[in-house]
Amino acid sequence: MNDPRTSFVVLVSVAAVALSSYAGPAVAHAGTGLAGGFGAGFAHPFGGMDHLLAMVAVGLWGAVLGEPLVYLLPMVFPGVMVLGAVFGMVGVPLPPVEWGIALSVCALGLCVACALRPGVGTAMIVVAVFGLFHGYAHGKELPSAVDPIGYSTGFVLATGSLHVLGIGLGMAARWPWGMPALRAVGIGIAVTGVHFVVQAARA
C-alpha cells in the first residue's frame, strides 16, 4: 500500500461503495417546500448525492477535456440550470425529471470513465441538457421557499464550487497514474448513477 496509485484506487473504490449505499434517500425531489435563504440554498447540493455527483463530474470531465471546455462546462451547467429553474417555476412540461437527474449522474460518470472527447458543441449540449433537469427539479420547489432569490443564489454558487472541486480533482490527470485513477472515479460515479436510475424506475 506504499504505492500512491494503489492507495488512490483503493480509496476511490471504498468511496464508490459508500456512495452507492448512501444514495437511497438522496434522489427525492417531492417539492414539499424548502427552507429559504442563501445558507439553505448553498447547503442543498451537498446534501443531495445525485446533484453533488453530477456537479463534480462536470468539473472532472472538463478537466479531462482541457481548454476551452474546462472553463465552458462549469459555466454552461449553472447557466442552463437557472433556465431550468424558471421552467420549473412556471410549469413548462418536461420528461420525468427524476429520470433526467439519475441519467445525468450515470452518463457524466461514463464520460469521465471512458475519457470521452466529443466536440466542444456536443459536450456543451450534453451538460446543458442535464443542467436543465437539475434546475427544473429545484425550480418547482422555489416558490415555496421563504427567500427564493437568496436560495437560488446560494444554490448556484454551491454548484460552481462543486465544479471547481471536480476540476481540482481532475488535475490528477497530469500524473502518469492520474488518468486511470480518474477513470476509476468515473466508474464509481456511473455505478451510483445506475442505482439512481433503478430508484427512479421504482418510483
Side-chain angles (χ1 to χ4, degrees):
M1 292 290 289
N2 292 329
D3 185 346
R5 292 173 295 181
T6 303
S7 300
F8 190 91
V9 172
V10 169
L11 178 61
V12 168
S13 300
V14 172
V17 172
L19 290 174
S20 296
S21 62
Y22 172 78
V27 151
H29 299 282
T32 56
L34 297 168
F38 177 89
F42 190 88
H44 189 80
F46 296 93
M49 194 58 64
D50 46 1
H51 292 288
L52 188 152
L53 288 178
M55 293 166 187
V56 170
V58 168
L60 283 171
W61 193 30
V64 169
L65 293 172
E67 296 184 8
L69 288 169
V70 67
Y71 307 118
L72 292 177
L73 296 188
M75 295 170 62
V76 169
F77 189 97
V80 179
M81 191 177 70
V82 171
L83 177 62
V86 173
F87 284 178
M89 291 176 70
V90 301
V92 175
L94 281 184
V97 175
E98 295 299 344
W99 275 94
I101 293 174
L103 288 171
S104 75
V105 179
C106 188
L108 290 168
L110 286 174
C111 287
V112 176
C114 299
L116 294 182
R117 295 182 178 275
V120 171
T122 301
M124 291 175 65
I125 290 171
V126 169
V127 168
V129 169
F130 291 140
L132 189 71
F133 279 101
H134 282 264
Y136 190 91
H138 293 282
K140 293 187 70 174
E141 298 170 330
L142 277 175
S144 60
V146 175
D147 178 12
I149 295 176
Y151 185 94
S152 301
T153 302
F155 190 89
V156 169
L157 288 177
T159 297
S161 300
L162 289 169
H163 291 335
V164 171
L165 173 62
I167 292 170
L169 293 173
M171 292 299 103
R174 297 178 177 181
W175 286 277
W177 54 269
M179 200 61 232
L182 290 180
R183 286 175 181 262
V185 173
I187 291 171
I189 293 173
V191 167
T192 308
V194 171
H195 181 80
F196 291 142
V197 170
V198 171
Q199 282 193 310
R202 291 175 175 174

